[in-house]
CSV table of all heavy atoms in Angstrom, one decimal:
chain,number,residue,atom,x,y,z
A,1,SER,N,6.0,13.0,17.0
A,1,SER,CA,6.1,11.6,16.9
A,1,SER,C,5.1,11.1,15.9
A,1,SER,O,5.4,10.2,15.1
A,1,SER,CB,5.9,10.9,18.2
A,1,SER,OG,4.7,11.1,18.8
A,2,GLN,N,3.9,11.7,15.9
A,2,GLN,CA,2.9,11.3,14.9
A,2,GLN,C,3.4,11.7,13.5
A,2,GLN,O,3.1,11.0,12.5
A,2,GLN,CB,1.6,12.0,15.2
A,2,GLN,CG,0.9,11.4,16.4
A,2,GLN,CD,-0.4,12.1,16.8
A,2,GLN,OE1,-0.4,13.3,16.9
A,2,GLN,NE2,-1.5,11.4,16.9
A,3,GLU,N,4.0,12.9,13.4
A,3,GLU,CA,4.5,13.3,12.1
A,3,GLU,C,5.6,12.3,11.6
A,3,GLU,O,5.6,11.9,10.4
A,3,GLU,CB,5.2,14.7,12.2
A,3,GLU,CG,4.2,15.8,12.4
A,3,GLU,CD,3.3,16.0,11.1
A,3,GLU,OE1,3.9,16.4,10.1
A,3,GLU,OE2,2.1,15.6,11.2
A,4,LEU,N,6.4,11.8,12.5
A,4,LEU,CA,7.4,10.9,12.1
A,4,LEU,C,6.8,9.5,11.7
A,4,LEU,O,7.3,8.9,10.8
A,4,LEU,CB,8.4,10.6,13.3
A,4,LEU,CG,9.3,11.8,13.6
A,4,LEU,CD1,10.2,11.5,14.9
A,4,LEU,CD2,10.2,12.1,12.5
A,5,GLU,N,5.7,9.2,12.4
A,5,GLU,CA,5.0,7.9,12.1
A,5,GLU,C,4.4,8.0,10.7
A,5,GLU,O,4.5,7.1,9.9
A,5,GLU,CB,3.9,7.6,13.1
A,5,GLU,CG,4.5,7.2,14.4
A,5,GLU,CD,3.4,6.9,15.4
A,5,GLU,OE1,2.2,6.9,15.0
A,5,GLU,OE2,3.7,6.7,16.6
A,6,ASP,N,3.9,9.2,10.3
A,6,ASP,CA,3.4,9.4,9.0
A,6,ASP,C,4.5,9.3,8.0
A,6,ASP,O,4.3,8.7,6.9
A,6,ASP,CB,2.7,10.8,8.8
A,6,ASP,CG,1.4,10.9,9.6
A,6,ASP,OD1,0.9,9.8,10.0
A,6,ASP,OD2,1.0,12.0,9.9
A,7,CYS,N,5.7,9.9,8.3
A,7,CYS,CA,6.8,9.8,7.4
A,7,CYS,C,7.3,8.3,7.2
A,7,CYS,O,7.6,7.9,6.1
A,7,CYS,CB,8.0,10.6,8.0
A,7,CYS,SG,9.5,10.6,7.0
A,8,ILE,N,7.3,7.6,8.3
A,8,ILE,CA,7.7,6.2,8.3
A,8,ILE,C,6.8,5.4,7.4
A,8,ILE,O,7.2,4.6,6.5
A,8,ILE,CB,7.7,5.6,9.7
A,8,ILE,CG1,8.9,6.1,10.5
A,8,ILE,CG2,7.8,4.1,9.7
A,8,ILE,CD1,8.9,5.8,12.0
A,9,GLN,N,5.5,5.6,7.5
A,9,GLN,CA,4.5,4.9,6.7
A,9,GLN,C,4.7,5.2,5.2
A,9,GLN,O,4.5,4.4,4.3
A,9,GLN,CB,3.1,5.2,7.2
A,9,GLN,CG,2.8,4.6,8.5
A,9,GLN,CD,1.4,4.9,9.1
A,9,GLN,OE1,0.7,5.7,8.4
A,9,GLN,NE2,1.0,4.3,10.2
A,10,LEU,N,4.9,6.5,4.9
A,10,LEU,CA,5.2,6.9,3.6
A,10,LEU,C,6.4,6.3,3.0
A,10,LEU,O,6.4,5.7,1.8
A,10,LEU,CB,5.3,8.4,3.5
A,10,LEU,CG,5.6,9.0,2.1
A,10,LEU,CD1,4.5,8.7,1.1
A,10,LEU,CD2,5.8,10.5,2.2
A,11,LEU,N,7.5,6.2,3.7
A,11,LEU,CA,8.7,5.6,3.3
A,11,LEU,C,8.5,4.1,3.1
A,11,LEU,O,9.0,3.5,2.1
A,11,LEU,CB,9.9,5.8,4.3
A,11,LEU,CG,10.3,7.3,4.5
A,11,LEU,CD1,11.3,7.4,5.6
A,11,LEU,CD2,10.9,7.8,3.2
A,12,TYR,N,7.7,3.5,4.0
A,12,TYR,CA,7.4,2.1,3.8
A,12,TYR,C,6.7,1.8,2.5
A,12,TYR,O,6.9,0.8,1.8
A,12,TYR,CB,6.6,1.6,5.1
A,12,TYR,CG,6.4,0.1,5.2
A,12,TYR,CD1,7.3,-0.7,5.9
A,12,TYR,CD2,5.4,-0.5,4.5
A,12,TYR,CE1,7.2,-2.0,6.0
A,12,TYR,CE2,5.2,-1.9,4.6
A,12,TYR,CZ,6.1,-2.6,5.3
A,12,TYR,OH,5.9,-4.0,5.4
A,13,ALA,N,5.7,2.7,2.3
A,13,ALA,CA,5.0,2.6,1.0
A,13,ALA,C,5.8,2.7,-0.2
A,13,ALA,O,5.5,2.0,-1.2
A,13,ALA,CB,3.9,3.6,1.0
A,14,LYS,N,6.9,3.4,-0.1
A,14,LYS,CA,7.8,3.6,-1.3
A,14,LYS,C,8.8,2.5,-1.4
A,14,LYS,O,9.7,2.5,-2.2
A,14,LYS,CB,8.5,5.0,-1.2
A,14,LYS,CG,7.5,6.2,-1.4
A,14,LYS,CD,8.3,7.5,-1.4
A,14,LYS,CE,7.3,8.6,-1.7
A,14,LYS,NZ,6.8,8.6,-3.0
A,15,GLY,N,8.7,1.5,-0.5
A,15,GLY,CA,9.5,0.3,-0.7
A,15,GLY,C,10.8,0.3,0.1
A,15,GLY,O,11.6,-0.6,0.0
A,16,MET,N,11.0,1.3,1.0
A,16,MET,CA,12.2,1.2,1.8
A,16,MET,C,12.1,0.2,2.9
A,16,MET,O,11.1,-0.1,3.5
A,16,MET,CB,12.4,2.6,2.5
A,16,MET,CG,12.8,3.7,1.5
A,16,MET,SD,13.1,5.3,2.4
A,16,MET,CE,14.7,4.9,3.2
A,17,SER,N,13.3,-0.5,3.2
A,17,SER,CA,13.3,-1.5,4.2
A,17,SER,C,13.3,-0.8,5.6
A,17,SER,O,13.5,0.4,5.7
A,17,SER,CB,14.6,-2.3,4.1
A,17,SER,OG,15.7,-1.5,4.4
A,18,ASN,N,13.0,-1.6,6.6
A,18,ASN,CA,12.9,-1.0,8.0
A,18,ASN,C,14.2,-0.4,8.4
A,18,ASN,O,14.3,0.7,9.0
A,18,ASN,CB,12.5,-2.1,9.0
A,18,ASN,CG,11.1,-2.5,8.9
A,18,ASN,OD1,10.3,-1.9,8.2
A,18,ASN,ND2,10.6,-3.4,9.7
A,19,SER,N,15.4,-1.1,8.0
A,19,SER,CA,16.7,-0.5,8.4
A,19,SER,C,16.9,0.8,7.7
A,19,SER,O,17.5,1.7,8.3
A,19,SER,CB,17.8,-1.5,8.1
A,19,SER,OG,17.8,-1.9,6.7
A,20,ASN,N,16.5,0.9,6.4
A,20,ASN,CA,16.7,2.2,5.7
A,20,ASN,C,15.8,3.3,6.2
A,20,ASN,O,16.3,4.4,6.3
A,20,ASN,CB,16.4,2.0,4.2
A,20,ASN,CG,17.5,1.2,3.5
A,20,ASN,OD1,18.6,1.1,3.9
A,20,ASN,ND2,17.1,0.5,2.4
A,21,ILE,N,14.6,2.9,6.7
A,21,ILE,CA,13.8,3.9,7.3
A,21,ILE,C,14.4,4.4,8.6
A,21,ILE,O,14.4,5.6,8.8
A,21,ILE,CB,12.4,3.3,7.5
A,21,ILE,CG1,11.6,3.0,6.2
A,21,ILE,CG2,11.5,4.2,8.4
A,21,ILE,CD1,10.4,2.2,6.4
A,22,ILE,N,14.9,3.5,9.4
A,22,ILE,CA,15.5,3.9,10.6
A,22,ILE,C,16.7,4.9,10.4
A,22,ILE,O,16.8,5.9,11.0
A,22,ILE,CB,16.0,2.7,11.4
A,22,ILE,CG1,14.8,1.9,11.9
A,22,ILE,CG2,16.9,3.1,12.6
A,22,ILE,CD1,15.2,0.5,12.4
A,23,ASP,N,17.5,4.6,9.4
A,23,ASP,CA,18.7,5.4,9.0
A,23,ASP,C,18.2,6.8,8.6
A,23,ASP,O,18.7,7.9,9.0
A,23,ASP,CB,19.5,4.8,8.0
A,23,ASP,CG,20.3,3.6,8.5
A,23,ASP,OD1,20.5,3.5,9.7
A,23,ASP,OD2,20.8,2.8,7.7
A,24,PHE,N,17.1,6.8,7.7
A,24,PHE,CA,16.6,8.1,7.2
A,24,PHE,C,16.1,8.9,8.3
A,24,PHE,O,16.4,10.1,8.4
A,24,PHE,CB,15.5,7.8,6.1
A,24,PHE,CG,14.9,9.0,5.6
A,24,PHE,CD1,15.5,9.7,4.5
A,24,PHE,CD2,13.8,9.6,6.1
A,24,PHE,CE1,14.9,10.8,4.0
A,24,PHE,CE2,13.2,10.7,5.6
A,24,PHE,CZ,13.8,11.4,4.5
A,25,ILE,N,15.3,8.4,9.2
A,25,ILE,CA,14.7,9.1,10.3
A,25,ILE,C,15.7,9.7,11.2
A,25,ILE,O,15.7,10.8,11.7
A,25,ILE,CB,13.7,8.3,11.1
A,25,ILE,CG1,12.5,7.9,10.2
A,25,ILE,CG2,13.2,9.0,12.3
A,25,ILE,CD1,11.6,9.0,9.7
A,26,LYS,N,16.7,8.9,11.5
A,26,LYS,CA,17.8,9.3,12.4
A,26,LYS,C,18.6,10.5,11.8
A,26,LYS,O,18.8,11.5,12.5
A,26,LYS,CB,18.8,8.1,12.6
A,26,LYS,CG,19.9,8.5,13.6
A,26,LYS,CD,20.8,7.3,13.9
A,26,LYS,CE,21.9,7.6,14.8
A,26,LYS,NZ,22.8,6.4,15.1
A,27,HIS,N,18.9,10.4,10.5
A,27,HIS,CA,19.8,11.5,10.0
A,27,HIS,C,18.9,12.7,9.6
A,27,HIS,O,19.5,13.8,9.6
A,27,HIS,CB,20.5,11.0,8.7
A,27,HIS,CG,21.6,10.0,9.0
A,27,HIS,ND1,21.4,8.6,8.9
A,27,HIS,CD2,22.9,10.2,9.3
A,27,HIS,CE1,22.6,8.1,9.2
A,27,HIS,NE2,23.5,9.0,9.5
A,28,THR,N,17.6,12.5,9.4
A,28,THR,CA,16.8,13.7,9.0
A,28,THR,C,16.2,14.4,10.2
A,28,THR,O,16.2,15.6,10.3
A,28,THR,CB,15.7,13.2,8.0
A,28,THR,OG1,16.3,12.5,6.9
A,28,THR,CG2,14.9,14.4,7.5
A,29,TYR,N,15.7,13.6,11.1
A,29,TYR,CA,15.0,14.1,12.3
A,29,TYR,C,15.8,14.0,13.6
A,29,TYR,O,15.4,14.6,14.6
A,29,TYR,CB,13.6,13.5,12.5
A,29,TYR,CG,12.6,13.7,11.4
A,29,TYR,CD1,12.5,12.9,10.3
A,29,TYR,CD2,11.9,14.9,11.4
A,29,TYR,CE1,11.6,13.1,9.3
A,29,TYR,CE2,11.0,15.2,10.4
A,29,TYR,CZ,10.8,14.3,9.3
A,29,TYR,OH,9.9,14.5,8.3
A,30,GLY,N,16.8,13.3,13.6
A,30,GLY,CA,17.6,13.1,14.8
A,30,GLY,C,16.9,12.2,15.8
A,30,GLY,O,17.1,12.4,17.0
A,31,VAL,N,16.0,11.4,15.4
A,31,VAL,CA,15.2,10.5,16.3
A,31,VAL,C,15.6,9.1,16.0
A,31,VAL,O,15.6,8.6,14.9
A,31,VAL,CB,13.7,10.7,16.2
A,31,VAL,CG1,12.9,9.8,17.1
A,31,VAL,CG2,13.4,12.2,16.5
A,32,ASN,N,15.8,8.3,17.1
A,32,ASN,CA,16.2,6.9,16.9
A,32,ASN,C,15.0,6.0,17.1
A,32,ASN,O,14.3,6.1,18.1
A,32,ASN,CB,17.2,6.5,18.0
A,32,ASN,CG,18.6,7.2,17.7
A,32,ASN,OD1,19.1,7.1,16.6
A,32,ASN,ND2,19.1,7.8,18.8
């Protein structure tokens, strides 16, 4: 979960919206 949080923060930094981050995490890690 911490790894995913790091990933979320990185994606956020790159300008992805919250909804795009959710989609990316779901399809890449299988976590909602």
Side-chain angles (χ1 to χ4, degrees):
S1 62
Q2 286 177 309
E3 288 294 290
L4 291 176
E5 288 179 11
D6 290 343
C7 179
I8 288 171
Q9 291 178 354
L10 177 62
L11 295 172
Y12 190 92
K14 291 183 177 295
M16 290 183 70
S17 66
N18 283 359
S19 59
N20 286 337
I21 291 173
I22 291 167
D23 289 342
F24 178 85
I25 294 296
K26 181 178 180 180
H27 287 96
T28 305
Y29 293 96
V31 177
N32 292 309

